[in-house]
Amino acid sequence: MEKAALLRSISCSTLACNRFFFRYSNRLSRSAASFSSSVSRSHHRSFGTLTRRSVLRRHWRLLPASSIPSTRCFCSLAPKAIATSPEQASPDFVSTEDDFAEKYGFEKVSEQFIQECKSKAVLYKHKKTGAEVMSVSNDDENKVFGVVFRTPPWKDSTGIPHILEHSVLCGSRKYPLKEPFVELLKGSLHTFLNAFTYPDRTCYPVASTNTKDFYNLVDVYLDAVFFPKCVEDFQTFQQEGWHYELNNPSEDISYKGVVFNEMKGVYSQPDNILGRTAQQALFPDNAYGVDSGGDPNVIPKLTFEEFKEFHQKYYHPGNARIWFYGDDDPNERLRILSEYLDLFDTSPASRESRVEPQKLFSKPVRIVEKYPAGEGGDLKKKHMVCLNWVLSDKPLDLETELALGFLDHLMLGTPASPLRKILLESGLGEAIVGGGMEDDLLQPQFSIGLKGVSDDDIPRVEELVMTTLKSLAEEGFDSEAVEASMNTIEFSLRENNTGSFPRGLSLMLRSIGKWIYDMDPFEPLKYEKPLMDLKARIAEEGSKAVFSPLIEKYILNNPHCVTVEMQPDPEKASRDEAAEREILKKVKAGMTEEDLAELARATQELRLKQETPDPPEALKSVPGLSLLDIPKEPIHVPTEIGVINDVKVLQHNLFTNDVLYTEIVFDMSSLKQNLLPLVPLFWFQTVCAIIAQGQNLNHCYSHHLQLILPELNLNFTFLYCFVGSIVLVNFLIVGSQSLMEMGTKELDFVQLNQLIGRKTGGISVYPFTSSVRGKEDPCRHIIVRGKAMAGHAEDLFNLVNCILQEVQFTDQQRFKQFVSQSKARMESRLRGSGHGIAAARMDAKLNTAGWIAEQMGGVSYLEFLQALEKKVDQDWIGISSSLEEIRKSLLSRKGCLINMTSEGKNLTNSEKYVSKFLDLLPSSSPVEKTTWNARLSSENEAILVPTQVNYVGKATNIYDTGYQLKGSAYVISKYISNTWLWDRVRVSGGAYGGFCDFDTYSGVFSFLSYRDPNLLQTLDIYDGTGDFLRQLEMDDDTLTKAIIGTIGDVDSYQLPDAKGYSSLLRYLLGVTEEERRKRREEILSTSLKDFKEFADVIEAAKHKGVVVAVASQDDVDAANKEHPNFFQVKKAL
C-alpha cells in the first residue's frame, strides 16, 4: 500500500458521538482491536485515549495498509422515527426457503424484518451439531461473513485464545500452505480480512463486494477454523505463540513468538497496564480475571498439548455463532455451511464455554500497581488513578443499556460534558483515563479517572469524581445538553456511517454482544422502539427522573468498585528485562551440551521452514480471481466544479440519505513557519477509535495490524492515495479544541458544543499536508469538515462561520489544559505507536511536507509542548496573539475551496448558504504567502522510550535516484510487505508486524516494523530487499494475485461521504482522471521485469537511507556498541 502522504491531517468530529456509537451500537452490539488495536486482531487494536481498554484488548495481524477513511461520528438532529411493522415474506418464497434449509440440515428458529437496517434476518439452527446461523439479506453489496466461538481462557494468562486465533490461519486441510491468510491478503478483493480475540470469544470475519471472491474467503476461513494444521504442527505453535531461540550454543537463549512480542508491546504501555489491572480486579472469579491475550510472563508456561486441547474443545460448530450479511443468495450460504457442519456431531462445548457472571462485591477494593516510566520530568506528577465499577451481576435490558449509553454521553461524550469538563478543569491531572461505559462483555462496567496526577492529589481526584457524580444525580442535566446528546446519538444510529468498516460487520458485532451469551441476537439490531420509549419517557418524566436513578443505583450506591492507582517506576522496565534474562539464564544452565545443540538445530529448522516458500501446488490450492474479474476502469465519483463568489465549489451528487457532507478548505501557505507547532492547539487534538464508528473493539486483540493500528492512538493520518481512491487511516485524530472549547462573545464553549450537537452532525477542523508530485511546494491546507441533515444546512454553515471567526482566545487556563492533554497524548503515543513516530521523523528528514507534519505531531511537537506548558503562565498575551495571527493568516476567500456531497437537490439548495458563508470571509489574507523549505538533519536517530519492544524505520526518496512513477510500484511495494517483510520481520523475526510504504507524492519509500524484538537485524532485512527482488521468480498465478490484491486496495470500498472526500483530496493533489486510468493500466500490466528493475531503485534505501528507531536504551546501546556512533540518541520521555 501506499502511504502517499504521511499526512498529518487529522480529521474529525466530535469524539462524543463516536464514544456513544461504540458503546450502544456494540451492545446494541460490540468491538479492536486493538486497536485497542489496537488496534487495532481482535486481539485487535486499541483506539482512543478516552477508551482505556481499547489498546488493551485487541490484536490484529499486520496487514499491509488497510484503508480506513477518515470518518467520525458527527452528531446532528436526526429525522423522526417512523414506526414500521415487520414485512411478511410471500408464502411461496417462505416455502422454498424452508425447503432449502431442510435439504441442507437446518431448521428455521426465527425470522424478522429489521427496519433499522432494511434487512430480512433469519436465525437457523443446524440440526446435527446445534450450530446457530444468522442469515441477513438486503441490497448491500459489501457482503460479510463471520464465525464466532465462545473461548473463555482457562485459569491463567497463557493467552491460548489469542495464540490459537493467530495459528488457525496458518494452513488447513484444504489449503496446506504456511499462511493462506497472507495469500488472501495478496490476491483478493476483500474489504475486510482479520480475526479478533476478546476476553471471552474469538471472531473470524471477512467481507468483499465481489461474490466469487466473498465465497472464496468464506471457504478458506471455514476450513481454517474447523480443520487447521496448527493442532498437528508444533512449529506453528512456536512461531505464533512462543519458543526458545538459540542461534549458537555459545550465545544466550531468548524468547521469540509473534504473540509473545505483541503482548510485550501491550504490557509496555501504561494505559494498557491500567486497563488490564482494573479488569482483572473487577472480575477475579470468572474468565475476565485473566488475560485472553496473554501475559508475557505467563505465555511461556503454555504447552502444545493445552493448545491442541483448547481447539478440540471450543472450535466446534456447536459452540459457534455464524453470520452472513449482504446481497448474495441466502440458500447458497446454507449449502456452503452444510459441507462443513455435516462433518461434525454434537458436542458439550456450548455448555462448557459459558461465562459465569461475577458476583458483586460487598465492599470496594483498592489496588496499587507500578508502570514503566522514563527518567525525564517530575515523576511525582506522573501518577494515574481510575475508579472502576461493575454495574450489574447480570446483563441489562436494552432500554437500560440505551439509557446508560445516553448517560455516558451526557457525562463524558463532549468537551462540555460535566464530568469530563470538571475533571480536566480541576488541574489535578493532564488527561482522562477510563473508558466511561463499557458494555461489550457479559456485565457492563464504568470507569473514569485521570493521569498525570501528583501523588499528593490522588485522594483529591477520587473525591472529585464522587462529588461530581453525586452533584449530577442531585441536579440532573440541563435540557440543552439532553437535546444535544439525543440528537447526536440518534443521528449516529440512523446515519450508520461505519467508514470502511463494513456495515454488516458492525451489525454482526452488535448482535454477537447478546447472542454469544445465549440471548436474543435480533434485539441488538433494533434500536427504534427502545429509542422512542426512552425519548417518550424523558419527555414525560424529565431527564432527571431517568438519569439520576441510574447514577445512584449503578455507581454511587454500588460497592463493586475497584480503585486502581498506577505509580511511575523508572526502573521497572529494566527490572523486567533483567528478570527475563535471569529466567533464560537458568533455562540454559539446566541444559546439557546436547540439549543446547538440539535447541540451536531446532531454531535453524524453524527458521528454514519460515523462510522456505510454499510449493506451487500448495499455493494453487487457494481460490482466487482472474484479471477478467477486474473492472478495467477506475471507480467514478461524479464531480461537478462550479464557482460561488469567486470560490471553486466541488459537488458530488450521491445518495446520502438526506445528509449533507461538506469540507471547507483554506490555504495554509500564508502562515509563518514559527507558528506551525501552535496549529494543532489552535485546531487541537482529540483521540478517536478508528475502526469506523460502528464498533468498539475495546476488549479484543486482532489477527493483524491492518497496517496502521487504530489501537495505537497515533497523532497522524496516513493518507493512502491509491490512484483509484484516497482513504485515510487515522492514528490520532486532530480536531479543533481552541476553536471548539474557547467560546465566543455570546456563547460559552458549553453552549457552543450543545448547539453543534443539536443542529449538526458534528464539525471538525484539522491540518492537511502532503507533498505534490512534480512540485517543490507542498500541499498545505486547513480543512473544516461538517455534516448535518440537509434541512439544517444553513445551521451548519452558520456554525462553521461562528467557530472560525467568533471564537475568542482569552481563556488562559483552558488553553493550558489543552497543552497538558496534548503532551500526555504524545507521550502515550511514543510508547504505543512508535512506528508512527519513526515514520514522521524520517519524512521530516526527507521532505518539507514531512517536516511540517512532524512539527505538528512528532517528537518536535512534543518538545514544543513541553516548553509551551511552562510558557503559558509566562507569556499568555504573546500566545493569545499568535493564535489570533494564525486565524488571520488562514481565513480568506483567496485559496478557499468548498466540497459538498449529497443528493442533487440538497446540493442546489445549499448553494445559497455557501454564498452567505463566503460573503462573511475576508476577501484575502493580510499576510503574504511564505515559503517553507525546512528539513530535519539526516543522521540516523534513536528515540529512547521505556519499552520492551522496538519500532524500526528506514527510508529514502527514490525520486532522487531518477525513478519515474509507474503503477507497478503499487504492486511491488504491497508484494514486498506481504512476502519478504512478513516472512522475515514478522514470521522469523518475531515482530508483530513489518511493512513498507511508498508515498508516490513525495517519493519517500519507507520500511517500518511494529513491536519488534530486534533492531539491527531488522535493518539488515530491509537492506536485503533489493537482492530479494533480483532473485525473485514468480509464476503467472502469483503475479495475478499480486495485481488483483493491489486493485482491491485501489478500489477500496467507500461510503458516499468518503467518495466525495477522496475526490476532494485528488483535486488538491492534482490527480486527474486521466492519470488514474493510466496508473490502473500500469497496475494491470505489471510484469516480473518491473519487479527486477525496481530492485536497483530500492538499493537507494540500503546505501542512502535514513534510519529512525523508537527503542529501548539497552537495544540502542547494543547497536551503537556493534556499530559505533550509528545512532544519534534522543531521550523523549
Side-chain angles (χ1 to χ4, degrees), residues 261-294:
N261 285 310
E262 177 187 348
M263 297 311 295
K264 287 188 81 170
V266 170
Y267 274 75
S268 294
Q269 296 172 251
D271 286 13
N272 288 354
I273 300 170
L274 170 65
R276 184 164 281 96
T277 301
Q279 178 180 300
Q280 294 179 13
L282 285 170
F283 298 97
D285 304 320
N286 71 2
Y288 308 145
V290 295
D291 190 349
S292 65

mmCIF file of all heavy atoms in Angstrom, residues 261-294:
data_model
loop_
_atom_site.group_PDB
_atom_site.id
_atom_site.type_symbol
_atom_site.label_atom_id
_atom_site.label_comp_id
_atom_site.label_asym_id
_atom_site.label_seq_id
_atom_site.Cartn_x
_atom_site.Cartn_y
_atom_site.Cartn_z
ATOM 1 N N ASN A 261 5.767 -11.263 21.528
ATOM 2 C CA ASN A 261 6.289 -9.915 21.341
ATOM 3 C C ASN A 261 5.183 -8.882 21.212
ATOM 4 O O ASN A 261 5.339 -7.737 21.652
ATOM 5 C CB ASN A 261 7.205 -9.871 20.116
ATOM 6 C CG ASN A 261 8.545 -10.504 20.407
ATOM 7 O OD1 ASN A 261 9.190 -10.191 21.396
ATOM 8 N ND2 ASN A 261 8.962 -11.442 19.565
ATOM 9 N N GLU A 262 4.077 -9.273 20.622
ATOM 10 C CA GLU A 262 2.940 -8.357 20.562
ATOM 11 C C GLU A 262 2.508 -7.944 21.967
ATOM 12 O O GLU A 262 2.304 -6.771 22.260
ATOM 13 C CB GLU A 262 1.774 -9.028 19.838
ATOM 14 C CG GLU A 262 0.519 -8.177 19.788
ATOM 15 C CD GLU A 262 -0.679 -8.922 19.222
ATOM 16 O OE1 GLU A 262 -0.487 -10.014 18.658
ATOM 17 O OE2 GLU A 262 -1.790 -8.412 19.354
ATOM 18 N N MET A 263 2.420 -8.929 22.851
ATOM 19 C CA MET A 263 1.951 -8.640 24.197
ATOM 20 C C MET A 263 3.014 -7.933 25.042
ATOM 21 O O MET A 263 2.687 -7.197 25.974
ATOM 22 C CB MET A 263 1.474 -9.926 24.876
ATOM 23 C CG MET A 263 0.277 -10.576 24.175
ATOM 24 S SD MET A 263 -1.079 -9.420 23.811
ATOM 25 C CE MET A 263 -1.583 -8.969 25.464
ATOM 26 N N LYS A 264 4.284 -8.114 24.722
ATOM 27 C CA LYS A 264 5.313 -7.318 25.401
ATOM 28 C C LYS A 264 5.107 -5.845 25.084
ATOM 29 O O LYS A 264 5.308 -4.972 25.938
ATOM 30 C CB LYS A 264 6.720 -7.771 24.977
ATOM 31 C CG LYS A 264 7.143 -9.101 25.567
ATOM 32 C CD LYS A 264 8.597 -9.429 25.286
ATOM 33 C CE LYS A 264 9.520 -8.727 26.253
ATOM 34 N NZ LYS A 264 10.909 -9.212 26.155
ATOM 35 N N GLY A 265 4.710 -5.574 23.846
ATOM 36 C CA GLY A 265 4.408 -4.195 23.488
ATOM 37 C C GLY A 265 3.201 -3.668 24.229
ATOM 38 O O GLY A 265 3.195 -2.543 24.737
ATOM 39 N N VAL A 266 2.170 -4.496 24.310
ATOM 40 C CA VAL A 266 0.960 -4.099 25.046
ATOM 41 C C VAL A 266 1.296 -3.813 26.510
ATOM 42 O O VAL A 266 0.840 -2.830 27.091
ATOM 43 C CB VAL A 266 -0.108 -5.207 24.941
ATOM 44 C CG1 VAL A 266 -1.265 -4.936 25.891
ATOM 45 C CG2 VAL A 266 -0.618 -5.326 23.511
ATOM 46 N N TYR A 267 2.114 -4.664 27.107
ATOM 47 C CA TYR A 267 2.447 -4.524 28.521
ATOM 48 C C TYR A 267 3.500 -3.442 28.769
ATOM 49 O O TYR A 267 3.924 -3.246 29.899
ATOM 50 C CB TYR A 267 2.924 -5.866 29.085
ATOM 51 C CG TYR A 267 1.791 -6.751 29.562
ATOM 52 C CD1 TYR A 267 0.975 -7.418 28.654
ATOM 53 C CD2 TYR A 267 1.532 -6.919 30.913
ATOM 54 C CE1 TYR A 267 -0.060 -8.236 29.085
ATOM 55 C CE2 TYR A 267 0.506 -7.740 31.353
ATOM 56 C CZ TYR A 267 -0.299 -8.389 30.432
ATOM 57 O OH TYR A 267 -1.329 -9.182 30.875
ATOM 58 N N SER A 268 3.937 -2.763 27.725
ATOM 59 C CA SER A 268 4.850 -1.640 27.900
ATOM 60 C C SER A 268 4.110 -0.318 28.023
ATOM 61 O O SER A 268 4.712 0.705 28.316
ATOM 62 C CB SER A 268 5.821 -1.560 26.703
ATOM 63 O OG SER A 268 6.678 -2.669 26.664
ATOM 64 N N GLN A 269 2.800 -0.323 27.770
ATOM 65 C CA GLN A 269 2.033 0.921 27.726
ATOM 66 C C GLN A 269 1.235 1.109 29.022
ATOM 67 O O GLN A 269 0.421 0.262 29.385
ATOM 68 C CB GLN A 269 1.101 0.903 26.516
ATOM 69 C CG GLN A 269 1.854 0.860 25.202
ATOM 70 C CD GLN A 269 0.929 0.652 24.027
ATOM 71 O OE1 GLN A 269 0.915 -0.406 23.408
ATOM 72 N NE2 GLN A 269 0.135 1.661 23.722
ATOM 73 N N PRO A 270 1.453 2.224 29.700
ATOM 74 C CA PRO A 270 0.800 2.454 30.998
ATOM 75 C C PRO A 270 -0.720 2.352 30.955
ATOM 76 O O PRO A 270 -1.327 1.769 31.859
ATOM 77 C CB PRO A 270 1.249 3.874 31.358
ATOM 78 C CG PRO A 270 2.550 4.045 30.656
ATOM 79 C CD PRO A 270 2.407 3.294 29.366
ATOM 80 N N ASP A 271 -1.354 2.923 29.917
ATOM 81 C CA ASP A 271 -2.813 2.856 29.848
ATOM 82 C C ASP A 271 -3.297 1.415 29.747
ATOM 83 O O ASP A 271 -4.329 1.042 30.304
ATOM 84 C CB ASP A 271 -3.328 3.659 28.652
ATOM 85 C CG ASP A 271 -3.247 5.157 28.885
ATOM 86 O OD1 ASP A 271 -2.582 5.576 29.852
ATOM 87 O OD2 ASP A 271 -3.842 5.917 28.093
ATOM 88 N N ASN A 272 -2.552 0.586 29.011
ATOM 89 C CA ASN A 272 -2.910 -0.831 28.908
ATOM 90 C C ASN A 272 -2.776 -1.536 30.246
ATOM 91 O O ASN A 272 -3.608 -2.371 30.620
ATOM 92 C CB ASN A 272 -1.996 -1.528 27.896
ATOM 93 C CG ASN A 272 -2.302 -1.132 26.478
ATOM 94 O OD1 ASN A 272 -3.254 -0.421 26.224
ATOM 95 N ND2 ASN A 272 -1.484 -1.589 25.558
ATOM 96 N N ILE A 273 -1.699 -1.240 30.938
ATOM 97 C CA ILE A 273 -1.483 -1.865 32.240
ATOM 98 C C ILE A 273 -2.601 -1.474 33.199
ATOM 99 O O ILE A 273 -3.134 -2.306 33.953
ATOM 100 C CB ILE A 273 -0.109 -1.468 32.813
ATOM 101 C CG1 ILE A 273 1.010 -1.927 31.869
ATOM 102 C CG2 ILE A 273 0.099 -2.078 34.192
ATOM 103 C CD1 ILE A 273 2.382 -1.381 32.223
ATOM 104 N N LEU A 274 -2.986 -0.218 33.153
ATOM 105 C CA LEU A 274 -4.097 0.255 33.984
ATOM 106 C C LEU A 274 -5.382 -0.487 33.654
ATOM 107 O O LEU A 274 -6.075 -1.003 34.543
ATOM 108 C CB LEU A 274 -4.292 1.761 33.769
ATOM 109 C CG LEU A 274 -5.549 2.385 34.376
ATOM 110 C CD1 LEU A 274 -5.510 2.298 35.898
ATOM 111 C CD2 LEU A 274 -5.716 3.830 33.933
ATOM 112 N N GLY A 275 -5.717 -0.567 32.388
ATOM 113 C CA GLY A 275 -6.959 -1.227 31.985
ATOM 114 C C GLY A 275 -6.975 -2.695 32.331
ATOM 115 O O GLY A 275 -7.973 -3.242 32.801
ATOM 116 N N ARG A 276 -5.834 -3.354 32.100
ATOM 117 C CA ARG A 276 -5.747 -4.783 32.400
ATOM 118 C C ARG A 276 -5.869 -5.036 33.894
ATOM 119 O O ARG A 276 -6.555 -5.941 34.345
ATOM 120 C CB ARG A 276 -4.405 -5.296 31.878
ATOM 121 C CG ARG A 276 -4.220 -6.765 32.027
ATOM 122 C CD ARG A 276 -3.090 -7.250 31.176
ATOM 123 N NE ARG A 276 -3.491 -7.377 29.798
ATOM 124 C CZ ARG A 276 -3.282 -6.441 28.877
ATOM 125 N NH1 ARG A 276 -2.691 -5.333 29.190
ATOM 126 N NH2 ARG A 276 -3.686 -6.643 27.641
ATOM 127 N N THR A 277 -5.191 -4.206 34.667
ATOM 128 C CA THR A 277 -5.250 -4.356 36.119
ATOM 129 C C THR A 277 -6.665 -4.165 36.623
ATOM 130 O O THR A 277 -7.161 -4.927 37.474
ATOM 131 C CB THR A 277 -4.311 -3.329 36.794
ATOM 132 O OG1 THR A 277 -2.975 -3.543 36.336
ATOM 133 C CG2 THR A 277 -4.357 -3.463 38.305
ATOM 134 N N ALA A 278 -7.339 -3.147 36.096
ATOM 135 C CA ALA A 278 -8.712 -2.868 36.521
ATOM 136 C C ALA A 278 -9.645 -4.019 36.165
ATOM 137 O O ALA A 278 -10.444 -4.469 36.997
ATOM 138 C CB ALA A 278 -9.197 -1.569 35.878
ATOM 139 N N GLN A 279 -9.555 -4.514 34.937
ATOM 140 C CA GLN A 279 -10.469 -5.581 34.535
ATOM 141 C C GLN A 279 -10.278 -6.834 35.385
ATOM 142 O O GLN A 279 -11.247 -7.450 35.835
ATOM 143 C CB GLN A 279 -10.259 -5.935 33.062
ATOM 144 C CG GLN A 279 -11.181 -7.080 32.633
ATOM 145 C CD GLN A 279 -11.011 -7.455 31.191
ATOM 146 O OE1 GLN A 279 -11.216 -6.637 30.309
ATOM 147 N NE2 GLN A 279 -10.645 -8.703 30.941
ATOM 148 N N GLN A 280 -9.037 -7.202 35.612
ATOM 149 C CA GLN A 280 -8.808 -8.426 36.362
ATOM 150 C C GLN A 280 -9.210 -8.277 37.826
ATOM 151 O O GLN A 280 -9.629 -9.245 38.462
ATOM 152 C CB GLN A 280 -7.342 -8.832 36.219
ATOM 153 C CG GLN A 280 -7.000 -9.228 34.780
ATOM 154 C CD GLN A 280 -5.551 -9.615 34.580
ATOM 155 O OE1 GLN A 280 -4.819 -9.824 35.536
ATOM 156 N NE2 GLN A 280 -5.133 -9.720 33.329
ATOM 157 N N ALA A 281 -9.124 -7.053 38.344
ATOM 158 C CA ALA A 281 -9.565 -6.824 39.720
ATOM 159 C C ALA A 281 -11.080 -6.768 39.818
ATOM 160 O O ALA A 281 -11.660 -7.169 40.835
ATOM 161 C CB ALA A 281 -8.953 -5.526 40.246
ATOM 162 N N LEU A 282 -11.729 -6.280 38.772
ATOM 163 C CA LEU A 282 -13.196 -6.224 38.764
ATOM 164 C C LEU A 282 -13.821 -7.609 38.642
ATOM 165 O O LEU A 282 -14.924 -7.853 39.122
ATOM 166 C CB LEU A 282 -13.681 -5.350 37.601
ATOM 167 C CG LEU A 282 -13.532 -3.839 37.733
ATOM 168 C CD1 LEU A 282 -13.827 -3.158 36.395
ATOM 169 C CD2 LEU A 282 -14.461 -3.283 38.814
ATOM 170 N N PHE A 283 -13.120 -8.524 37.974
ATOM 171 C CA PHE A 283 -13.671 -9.853 37.695
ATOM 172 C C PHE A 283 -12.714 -10.940 38.191
ATOM 173 O O PHE A 283 -12.190 -11.729 37.397
ATOM 174 C CB PHE A 283 -13.894 -10.012 36.189
ATOM 175 C CG PHE A 283 -14.867 -9.056 35.590
ATOM 176 C CD1 PHE A 283 -14.437 -7.892 34.957
ATOM 177 C CD2 PHE A 283 -16.228 -9.300 35.651
ATOM 178 C CE1 PHE A 283 -15.334 -7.012 34.384
ATOM 179 C CE2 PHE A 283 -17.148 -8.427 35.086
ATOM 180 C CZ PHE A 283 -16.704 -7.264 34.456
ATOM 181 N N PRO A 284 -12.485 -11.028 39.487
ATOM 182 C CA PRO A 284 -11.492 -12.000 39.979
ATOM 183 C C PRO A 284 -11.956 -13.446 39.881
ATOM 184 O O PRO A 284 -11.127 -14.355 39.940
ATOM 185 C CB PRO A 284 -11.301 -11.588 41.441
ATOM 186 C CG PRO A 284 -12.596 -10.934 41.823
ATOM 187 C CD PRO A 284 -13.057 -10.214 40.591
ATOM 188 N N ASP A 285 -13.272 -13.673 39.710
ATOM 189 C CA ASP A 285 -13.791 -15.033 39.835
ATOM 190 C C ASP A 285 -14.303 -15.636 38.537
ATOM 191 O O ASP A 285 -14.843 -16.740 38.547
ATOM 192 C CB ASP A 285 -14.932 -15.048 40.867
ATOM 193 C CG ASP A 285 -14.492 -14.496 42.213
ATOM 194 O OD1 ASP A 285 -13.369 -14.804 42.626
ATOM 195 O OD2 ASP A 285 -15.275 -13.740 42.829
ATOM 196 N N ASN A 286 -14.181 -14.920 37.416
ATOM 197 C CA ASN A 286 -14.631 -15.535 36.164
ATOM 198 C C ASN A 286 -13.561 -15.381 35.087
ATOM 199 O O ASN A 286 -12.415 -15.022 35.376
ATOM 200 C CB ASN A 286 -15.991 -14.980 35.718
ATOM 201 C CG ASN A 286 -15.930 -13.540 35.218
ATOM 202 O OD1 ASN A 286 -14.860 -12.924 35.154
ATOM 203 N ND2 ASN A 286 -17.080 -12.996 34.855
ATOM 204 N N ALA A 287 -13.934 -15.635 33.834
ATOM 205 C CA ALA A 287 -12.953 -15.679 32.750
ATOM 206 C C ALA A 287 -12.231 -14.358 32.542
ATOM 207 O O ALA A 287 -11.122 -14.325 31.998
ATOM 208 C CB ALA A 287 -13.642 -16.098 31.447
ATOM 209 N N TYR A 288 -12.846 -13.256 32.960
ATOM 210 C CA TYR A 288 -12.239 -11.948 32.734
ATOM 211 C C TYR A 288 -11.134 -11.638 33.739
ATOM 212 O O TYR A 288 -10.487 -10.596 33.646
ATOM 213 C CB TYR A 288 -13.295 -10.849 32.788
ATOM 214 C CG TYR A 288 -14.497 -11.093 31.897
ATOM 215 C CD1 TYR A 288 -15.777 -10.689 32.280
ATOM 216 C CD2 TYR A 288 -14.361 -11.740 30.672
ATOM 217 C CE1 TYR A 288 -16.881 -10.910 31.471
ATOM 218 C CE2 TYR A 288 -15.457 -11.974 29.860
ATOM 219 C CZ TYR A 288 -16.715 -11.552 30.259
ATOM 220 O OH TYR A 288 -17.796 -11.777 29.451
ATOM 221 N N GLY A 289 -10.921 -12.532 34.674
ATOM 222 C CA GLY A 289 -9.883 -12.320 35.675
ATOM 223 C C GLY A 289 -8.492 -12.678 35.198
ATOM 224 O O GLY A 289 -7.518 -12.499 35.927
ATOM 225 N N VAL A 290 -8.401 -13.208 33.974
ATOM 226 C CA VAL A 290 -7.095 -13.473 33.369
ATOM 227 C C VAL A 290 -7.083 -12.823 31.996
ATOM 228 O O VAL A 290 -8.106 -12.351 31.503
ATOM 229 C CB VAL A 290 -6.819 -14.991 33.255
ATOM 230 C CG1 VAL A 290 -6.714 -15.621 34.627
ATOM 231 C CG2 VAL A 290 -7.904 -15.689 32.428
ATOM 232 N N ASP A 291 -5.919 -12.805 31.362
ATOM 233 C CA ASP A 291 -5.762 -12.094 30.091
ATOM 234 C C ASP A 291 -5.827 -13.067 28.920
ATOM 235 O O ASP A 291 -4.932 -13.883 28.734
ATOM 236 C CB ASP A 291 -4.420 -11.349 30.092
ATOM 237 C CG ASP A 291 -4.294 -10.400 28.912
ATOM 238 O OD1 ASP A 291 -5.134 -10.470 27.995
ATOM 239 O OD2 ASP A 291 -3.358 -9.582 28.914
ATOM 240 N N SER A 292 -6.893 -12.977 28.138
ATOM 241 C CA SER A 292 -7.030 -13.866 26.977
ATOM 242 C C SER A 292 -5.949 -13.601 25.938
ATOM 243 O O SER A 292 -5.636 -14.461 25.121
ATOM 244 C CB SER A 292 -8.412 -13.689 26.339
ATOM 245 O OG SER A 292 -8.546 -12.380 25.801
ATOM 246 N N GLY A 293 -5.388 -12.398 25.963
ATOM 247 C CA GLY A 293 -4.323 -12.063 25.015
ATOM 248 C C GLY A 293 -2.994 -12.644 25.405
ATOM 249 O O GLY A 293 -2.138 -12.884 24.545
ATOM 250 N N GLY A 294 -2.814 -12.876 26.698
ATOM 251 C CA GLY A 294 -1.568 -13.448 27.183
ATOM 252 C C GLY A 294 -0.680 -12.444 27.883
ATOM 253 O O GLY A 294 -0.462 -11.337 27.401
#
